[in-house]
Amino acid sequence: MKIILIGPPGGGKGTQAKLLVEKFNIPQISTGDMLREHVKNETNLGIAAKGYMDSGQLVPDQLILDMMETRFQKSDCKNGYILDGFPRTIPQAEGLDKSLKKIGHQLTNIIVLEIDDNIIVDRMGGRRVHAPSGRIYHIKYNPPINHNKDDVTNEELSIRDDDKEKTVRDRLKVYHELTSPLINYYSNKNIVSTIDGSLKIDEVNNKIINILNNKWLKLE
Ligand code: ADP
Ligand code: ADP
């Protein structure tokens, strides 16, 4: 399974990717999580990326493509992966095509989460994260067991710097301008499925699993 999740910021990509990791035992590759790790460790990439991320803009394509080229070389990518937040522009999709060709991989599914901007702003206001693991919660829709504590480590949860309403609106604008054209880019490959991302977390998850199961049953 070589899956791309496309959707606006706060569309539920990370939440769904984590559920799929548990179910299918393939890695989630989140460029957002990778970049935040670089920022935290103050690597050259992290230093270059921080300003873009804080202002809700995209990190330049070439930096992302270089980071992903390295990531695909890791052995855990052999049996598949869930790409969460990448590609995000047409040049990134073209770069991804080249990288995949080099390693002889073919994408199997593009899952698009469709959701209205107004719902997103509400969701992002309540997003809480456990930064070290990337686990995602919502104060109302997916609360942790203990107030503001991670379910696994019981460490304090945090609010992402870029989840302020103004930055969220900027990120949505970027999504509509630069990322949503990818849906067209992939449409001729016949592997795109669109899901109503405003449904509940488990309903969205069931729909994705049905799509993936159907695909694999057909191939068997
Ligand atoms: P969300 O899932 O809420 O959209 P991400 O964690 O995917 O947020 O991304 C956070 C920020 O990291 C983005 O606003 C952008 O600055 C940067 N980023 C993540 N992935 C990419 C990418 N593929 N290309 C460019 N910038 C990226
Ligand atoms: P993305 O990775 O696309 O930015 P997240 O998975 O981080 O999105 O979800 C954004 C916020 O919305 C999180 O707080 C998450 O718990 C919550 N969330 C995710 N999916 C749903 C859903 N289907 N219904 C309600 N809230 C959701």
Side-chain angles (χ1 to χ4, degrees), residues 7-14 30-36 49-61 63-65 67-68 84-89 92 120 124 127 136 160 162-163 167-168 170-171 174-175 179:
K13 301 179 297 296
S30 158
T31 42
D33 285 348
M34 291 164 77
L35 289 168
R36 280 184 287 279
K50 187 173 186 321
Y52 297 103
M53 295 172 76
D54 286 346
S55 61
Q57 300 303 306
L58 294 182
V59 174
D61 290 331
L63 295 180
I64 300 290
L65 288 170
M67 177 175 85
M68 285 303 294
D84 159 13
F86 171 84
R88 242 175 163 102
T89 62
Q92 287 184 23
I120 297 292
M124 300 298 245
R127 172 154 68 180
I136 305 160
R160 268 173 49 177
D162 57 349
D163 276 354
T167 318
V168 170
D170 290 341
R171 286 157 67 201
V174 168
Y175 175 77
T179 306

Side-chain angles (χ1 to χ4, degrees), residues 97-171:
D97 283 345
K98 275 194 206 140
S99 298
L100 293 181
K101 215 169 168 186
K102 251 195 239 167
I103 53 176
H105 285 186
Q106 244 182 349
L107 294 169
T108 55
N109 297 85
I110 316 276
I111 310 267
V112 181
L113 298 174
E114 251 184 357
I115 176 159
D116 196 81
D117 286 5
N118 292 325
I119 301 180
I120 297 292
V121 176
D122 171 46
R123 273 195 194 173
M124 300 298 245
R127 172 154 68 180
R128 299 292 180 273
V129 294
H130 178 245
S133 66
R135 277 185 287 275
I136 305 160
Y137 301 88
H138 190 282
I139 50 174
K140 204 155 80 191
Y141 307 121
N142 185 26
I145 298 166
N146 296 319
H147 177 69
N148 213 41
K149 296 278 200 310
D150 176 48
D151 287 352
V152 178
T153 63
N154 216 36
E155 288 167 338
E156 200 77 18
L157 302 179
S158 56
I159 299 179
R160 268 173 49 177
D161 287 344
D162 57 349
D163 276 354
K164 296 185 269 311
E165 181 165 344
K166 161 82 175 75
T167 318
V168 170
R169 295 220 179 261
D170 290 341
R171 286 157 67 201

Side-chain angles (χ1 to χ4, degrees), residues 27-47:
Q28 167 196 18
I29 302 183
S30 158
T31 42
D33 285 348
M34 291 164 77
L35 289 168
R36 280 184 287 279
E37 191 65 23
H38 278 280
V39 170
K40 195 182 92 196
N41 296 330
E42 297 182 354
T43 65
N44 287 341
L45 172 57
I47 291 163

Side-chain angles (χ1 to χ4, degrees), residues 179-197:
T179 306
S180 61
L182 289 178
I183 301 167
N184 250 336
Y185 177 87
Y186 285 117
S187 60
N188 62 348
K189 288 199 203 277
N190 221 8
I191 51 171
V192 180
S193 313
T194 302
I195 292 180
D196 177 358

